[in-house]
Amino acid sequence: MDEVQGSIYDVVFRNEQNGYSVIEMECEKNLITVVGYFAYVNIGETIKIYGSWVQHPDYGKQFKMEAYNAVTPSTLYGIEKYLASGLIAGIGPHTAKKMVEKFGVDTLDIIQYNPDRLSEVEGVGAKKAAKIYEAFQEQKELKDIMMFLEQYDISPTYAVKIYKAYGANTIAVLKENPYKLSDDISGIGFKMSDRIALSMGISIDSEFRISSATKYCLNWFHGNGHSYAPQEELCRVTSELLGVEEEVIQENIIKLFIGKSLVVESLEDIRAVYSTSFHKAESSVARQLLQMRMYSLSKLVSNVDEELQKLEQSQDITLAEKQKTAVREAMNNGVLVVTGGPGTGKTTTIKTIIDLFERKGMSVLLAAPTGRAAKRMQEATGKEAKTLHRLLEFGFGENDEEMYFQKNEESPLECDAIIVDEVSMIDIMLMNYLLKAVAEGTRLILVGDVDQLPSVGPGNVLRDIIDSEAVPIVRLNEIFRQAQESLIVVNAHRINNGEPPILDQKQKDFFFVRQEEQQAIVNTIVELCRERLPKYYKTTFMEGIQVLSPMKKGICGIINLNNELQKILNPEAVDKKEKQYREFTFRVGDKVMQVKNNYKMKWQSIVDFEKEGEGVFNGDIGVIINIDSEDQIIEVVYDNEKLVRYDFGVLDELELAYALTVHKSQGSEFPILVMPVTFGPKMLLTRNLLYTALTRAKNTVVLVGAERYVNQMIVNNHITKRYSGLKQRMVKMAEML
């Protein structure tokens, strides 16, 4: 076996999923090409590699690496290049040069053992010196941990995630209980943690292994929108995963139930297995809704019809009978659900309810599940609307780890009525937190379109409440004359009723561009977004146009669409900073989306510099304004106000947002919507997905594709079964009252 030592000059290629890399290594003033699977490599690092020389038919002589180990750089050139690589936050080429000039070959020792001396370097203050030390230590720990995990075939991408979760304790945690990986870290499944555990000697029929797998499979059901898992299905899925008999899984479920780790309950003819938290939440939601129905209202409203008549005259409006019914029910009930599709007057109904409450001197709070939905509600009503997290005053406990809502049963919301819009997006856990904060006597009005896609999180809250008929429900189903002039509204209702949309009317707000081939569809969408739509509607893509797609992968999926749209809307340029991350290149000027809730992420107002807060949420859309390779951060501005700084280590929370999935678009409204219509997974090409997409458009819809796929989606009225016991609980409780 040959042996070579040198410093990494360039990383030509790297697969972050498996670590396979092609690097150029500077060895005795010569550049050699090295290929192999590296857990951790960075430009400027000095490494010793073991392997053999091979002759590649296309790329010539290469060194095929079999094993390697890191070597601390010892020359001034090597140290400077190592520090200048961007590996350590706070050190760029300029700072690296000055540090090496100051400390010479002792530079790395100074950073590690005497970091206070770094402030002797011009431009490096005490705060920056501390940051450099922390980053250096983190990189050292991360390298050791990645090398440790490499023996278990853990990819570099997941190794970084594991380190972020456990830090310096990573190796100790994994040796004690490798199954914590599947419990604690998003994207790491049971199979990966099980592989580590088995290689460490844990028995294949270990009760600890079976318990972990059972909980993992139950969480899989939760992750797919279910509040519980049928015991029969849970046993089958877990048995297939482990390769053990279902009877063994059943016995383990009983033990977990006795130990109060799970809840097992009969719901009609199903034996339901719940995680404890979801069982508590579902039971609590059912109980609280039924209690609200029976509350004595804090302020009674008499002569509602007279007040309605006065309001209609003063506002010069005429309400439909169903809208009047909704207003009456809102005045006279502790809880009310108002549901209806586009153009049926939900917004007018909400405004009327607010006006009547305020005329009676009653206070009203408005909220929605997401920031964009809250913003829409505020624009439509002219009143302040908050996200539910902000309304409930989300925060952290004293140890800065435990998350909780400060508004709850002990500190309820102080108001006479609460109106919540886009309720179809609310999962069972968030609904439980909301209901806990509603004081006795306060009215709660829930507004939403039950025919849209359900919440991303577990539960089927809005549909279950409506189907239970246990609380007052008003269904708005009359399309108003003004809305009838919109083909978006007309077609949305036609699709929802299983009828084909009108596609050939000209000079309307709904357009269909026929294309068969998927690449032709993508090319057409790119051309529409680049020139035709901005020119015709006198807008820009960033201000008025959004591309949606049913799927993530494939030619017409959002990953490819984002890359293609980025090329023409924000192309590469010498003066534009960028950062490569997985399949994306993030670039200054890019439209991006936060793709998971991060309650701790700090933001600062760019309008009022003294205003700051915490929390960036799944679905928030912003623009990259700066990329700093030296400090390793990307700066994003949301809603033209909130500045958020992302460390390079958390870029898995960001995605390009020129194109979004329909699921991610929920709660939003876009002036112009463009969507491909082509073949794809049957479970995605459904009627309610197409209906949901159309209802996201405010002014114009452009569908690009083949008409037969539109018809296939309309025919496919399959609504994926969601295991939820809320309806049954509400019906049962209502019968007992």
Side-chain angles (χ1 to χ4, degrees):
M1 185 176 288
D2 295 320
E3 178 183 314
V4 177
Q5 179 171 319
S7 64
I8 298 173
Y9 179 79
D10 190 19
V11 180
V12 179
F13 170 79
R14 180 164 174 81
N15 184 330
E16 290 294 342
Q17 299 305 311
N18 60 20
Y20 181 79
S21 305
V22 178
I23 67 174
E24 287 187 336
M25 195 166 86
E26 197 168 20
C27 180
E28 297 179 353
K29 297 185 179 180
N30 295 317
L31 284 181
I32 65 171
T33 300
V34 181
V35 297
Y37 294 88
F38 290 83
Y40 191 86
V41 286
N42 272 288
I43 294 172
E45 260 196 304
T46 300
I47 59 173
K48 182 181 287 186
I49 58 175
Y50 308 89
S52 57
W53 291 98
V54 296
Q55 188 70 27
H56 192 279
D58 295 323
Y59 302 113
K61 191 176 182 180
Q62 297 178 337
F63 192 91
K64 186 177 181 182
M65 184 275 295
E66 300 294 338
Y68 77 101
N69 57 278
V71 178
T72 303
S74 56
T75 66
L76 294 178
Y77 173 77
I79 293 170
E80 183 179 335
K81 187 159 187 174
Y82 173 69
L83 294 175
S85 66
L87 174 67
I88 300 169
I91 303 180
H94 184 62
T95 304
K97 184 176 181 62
K98 288 195 294 184
M99 289 173 68
V100 172
E101 287 176 350
K102 178 69 177 177
F103 301 118
V105 294
D106 296 326
T107 301
L108 297 181
D109 286 339
I110 294 292
I111 295 174
Q112 186 169 5
Y113 303 114
N114 293 294
D116 292 344
R117 288 196 60 195
L118 294 177
S119 57
E120 296 175 20
V121 178
E122 182 186 354
V124 179
K127 188 175 181 181
K128 187 170 184 178
K131 182 179 180 180
I132 290 171
Y133 170 73
E134 289 173 6
F136 185 84
Q137 290 297 108
E138 182 176 298
Q139 290 299 325
K140 189 173 180 298
E141 290 171 356
L142 178 58
K143 184 185 298 185
D144 293 340
I145 287 163
M146 291 180 86
M147 298 290 283
F148 169 79
L149 293 172
E150 186 184 31
Q151 63 185 307
Y152 302 112
D153 295 326
I154 304 299
S155 74
T157 299
Y158 285 120
V160 172
K161 278 191 171 187
I162 294 168
Y163 174 75
K164 289 290 182 184
Y166 306 129
N169 296 322
T170 297
I171 295 175
V173 168
L174 295 186
K175 285 183 176 179
E176 180 183 352
N177 178 15
Y179 291 105
K180 279 182 67 64
L181 290 175
S182 56
D183 294 336
D184 299 344
I185 301 175
S186 172
I188 293 186
F190 173 82
K191 290 183 179 179
M192 189 181 293
S193 56
D194 192 42
R195 186 173 68 242
I196 298 173
L198 293 176
S199 67
M200 288 180 172
I202 290 181
S203 170
I204 194 169
D205 58 355
S206 161
E207 185 176 312
F208 189 56
R209 179 176 184 251
I210 294 169
S211 296
S212 179
T214 303
K215 288 186 235 183
Y216 167 74
C217 290
L218 182 55
N219 285 331
W220 179 88
F221 278 90
H222 294 326
N224 283 274
H226 305 291
S227 295
Y228 68 83
Q231 182 171 319
E232 187 175 324
E233 288 190 35
L234 180 60
C235 288
R236 176 180 55 79
V237 171
T238 310
S239 173
E240 290 173 357
L241 178 65
L242 292 179
V244 300
E245 296 296 325
E246 291 187 23
E247 290 76 11
V248 177
I249 311 299
Q250 291 174 355
E251 291 173 4
N252 187 257
I253 288 175
I254 294 171
K255 291 179 181 178
L256 291 170
F257 171 62
I258 293 172
K260 297 185 178 179
S261 295
L262 302 176
V263 176
V264 183
E265 184 178 6
S266 293
L267 289 175
E268 296 180 347
D269 58 343
I270 294 178
R271 192 76 169 161
V273 182
Y274 284 86
S275 293
T276 305
S277 58
F278 286 105
H279 183 265
K280 286 182 178 178
E282 193 176 88
S283 301
S284 177
V285 167
R287 182 181 66 256
Q288 289 174 106
L289 285 170
L290 270 295
Q291 287 176 343
M292 286 179 187
R293 193 187 73 171
M294 303 178 66
Y295 281 160
S296 297
L297 299 176
S298 57
K299 294 182 181 179
L300 297 175
V301 179
S302 57
N303 303 320
V304 175
D305 288 333
E306 289 182 21
E307 295 291 343
L308 266 175
Q309 190 174 6
K310 292 178 184 177
L311 191 144
E312 284 182 306
Q313 291 173 352
S314 64
Q315 300 287 345
D316 192 24
I317 59 172
T318 302
L319 298 175
E321 193 54 45
K322 284 286 184 70
Q323 289 178 299
K324 293 179 181 179
T325 300
V327 176
R328 294 188 196 101
E329 295 292 326
M331 299 297 144
N332 297 318
N333 287 283
V335 60
L336 169 69
V337 175
V338 180
T339 185
T344 57
K346 293 195 299 295
T347 299
T348 301
T349 303
I350 292 172
K351 291 173 68 174
T352 303
I353 291 171
I354 294 170
D355 285 347
L356 281 188
F357 277 140
E358 291 185 341
R359 286 181 180 219
K360 293 295 183 180
M362 299 166 70
S363 58
V364 185
L365 294 177
L366 308 183
T370 67
R372 296 182 72 83
K375 187 176 181 181
R376 283 181 57 204
M377 192 181 192
Q378 184 166 311
E379 290 170 349
T381 62
K383 306 290 182 180
E384 182 185 19
K386 299 179 179 180
T387 64
L388 285 171
H389 285 83
R390 187 176 161 211
L391 179 75
L392 299 175
E393 297 181 14
F394 182 85
F396 292 88
E398 292 181 1
N399 60 5
D400 202 36
E401 292 294 333
E402 183 182 356
M403 302 180 295
Y404 72 103
F405 289 102
Q406 297 178 56
K407 290 298 179 184
N408 49 42
E409 55 267 69
E410 296 177 1
S411 177
L413 295 163
E414 297 179 3
C415 60
D416 297 303
I418 303 168
I419 302 176
V420 184
D421 199 8
E422 296 283 1
V423 177
S424 64
M425 299 177 66
I426 300 179
D427 62 34
I428 193 67
M429 298 299 287
L430 186 54
M431 179 59 76
N432 185 37
Y433 287 123
L434 169 64
L435 298 183
K436 283 183 177 182
V438 180
E440 183 173 349
T442 297
R443 295 167 174 81
L444 177 66
I445 298 100
L446 303 173
V447 184
D449 186 346
V450 73
D451 294 316
Q452 288 188 21
L453 293 170
S455 62
V456 175
N460 208 12
V461 175
L462 181 60
R463 184 171 292 279
D464 277 359
I465 294 172
I466 291 173
D467 289 348
S468 75
E469 299 183 348
V471 298
I473 313 289
V474 176
R475 295 175 175 82
L476 303 177
N477 48 27
E478 178 183 342
I479 305 176
F480 286 87
R481 183 180 301 172
Q482 184 178 1
Q484 289 176 356
E485 297 175 3
S486 166
L487 256 188
I488 298 174
V489 173
V490 171
N491 280 341
H493 283 277
R494 287 176 67 89
I495 288 168
N496 200 33
N497 294 329
E499 303 170 15
I502 300 167
L503 300 178
D504 294 316
Q505 284 194 15
K506 305 299 181 183
Q507 303 302 318
K508 281 283 187 177
D509 55 0
F510 192 102
F511 301 93
F512 191 81
V513 181
R514 289 173 172 81
Q515 290 287 1
E516 285 288 337
E517 298 296 326
Q518 289 207 344
Q519 190 56 55
I521 292 172
V522 171
N523 294 343
T524 300
I525 289 174
V526 168
E527 183 58 29
L528 284 167
C529 295
R530 174 170 54 188
E531 187 172 347
R532 290 164 61 183
L533 291 174
K535 184 176 180 180
Y536 185 81
Y537 289 101
K538 295 178 174 56
T539 186
T540 66
F541 180 91
M542 301 294 274
E543 291 175 348
I545 304 170
Q546 182 62 57
V547 177
L548 300 184
S549 176
M551 53 215 128
K552 291 191 73 171
K553 298 180 180 179
I555 295 174
C556 291
I558 65 161
I559 294 175
N560 184 56
L561 283 168
N562 269 313
N563 289 331
E564 293 300 315
L565 289 165
Q566 184 191 46
K567 288 177 187 176
I568 60 103
L569 297 172
N570 190 30
E572 182 180 1
V574 176
D575 60 340
K576 283 184 185 176
K577 296 178 181 178
E578 58 182 44
K579 166 67 177 173
Q580 183 71 35
Y581 185 76
R582 296 184 185 174
E583 65 264 38
F584 299 115
T585 298
F586 292 118
R587 189 172 294 138
V588 170
D590 275 338
K591 184 178 184 180
V592 291
M593 171 183 272
Q594 173 80 12
V595 294
K596 59 179 70 174
N597 290 332
N598 187 330
Y599 303 105
K600 287 188 176 182
M601 183 71 81
K602 290 180 169 53
W603 56 263
Q604 183 178 26
S605 173
I606 60 174
V607 179
D608 179 357
F609 294 110
E610 294 183 358
K611 184 180 179 183
E612 57 184 25
E614 290 183 338
V616 186
F617 302 105
N618 190 356
D620 288 352
I621 295 177
V623 177
I624 295 176
I625 63 165
N626 184 40
I627 297 176
D628 189 327
S629 297
E630 182 163 316
D631 286 336
Q632 298 187 4
I633 59 170
I634 290 182
E635 295 182 326
V636 179
V637 171
Y638 292 100
D639 299 322
N640 296 317
E641 179 187 4
K642 297 178 181 177
L643 173 64
V644 178
R645 293 180 173 88
Y646 289 84
D647 182 273
F648 281 1
V650 295
L651 293 185
D652 60 337
E653 297 187 10
L654 278 183
E655 288 183 4
L656 294 177
Y658 299 103
L660 306 174
T661 62
V662 177
H663 285 82
K664 287 290 187 184
S665 73
Q666 284 182 269
S668 300
E669 185 177 68
F670 311 105
I672 303 168
L673 184 150
V674 183
M675 189 172 92
V677 185
T678 184
F679 67 84
K682 187 177 180 181
M683 62 181 294
L684 292 177
L685 303 186
T686 63
R687 182 190 300 177
N688 71 334
L689 184 139
L690 181 59
Y691 171 76
T692 300
L694 299 194
T695 59
R696 300 304 91 203
K698 184 177 182 180
N699 301 322
T700 305
V701 166
V702 183
L703 300 182
V704 183
E707 191 169 342
R708 67 181 181 279
Y709 292 113
V710 175
N711 295 329
Q712 284 180 20
M713 292 179 79
I714 294 169
V715 171
N716 184 13
N717 195 29
H718 173 72
I719 298 176
T720 303
K721 168 70 176 175
R722 282 205 166 192
Y723 295 119
S724 166
L726 181 60
K727 174 188 171 183
Q728 293 96 313
R729 294 183 197 284
M730 292 186 67
V731 170
K732 189 174 182 179
M733 288 182 186
E735 290 173 351
M736 297 170 63
L737 297 176

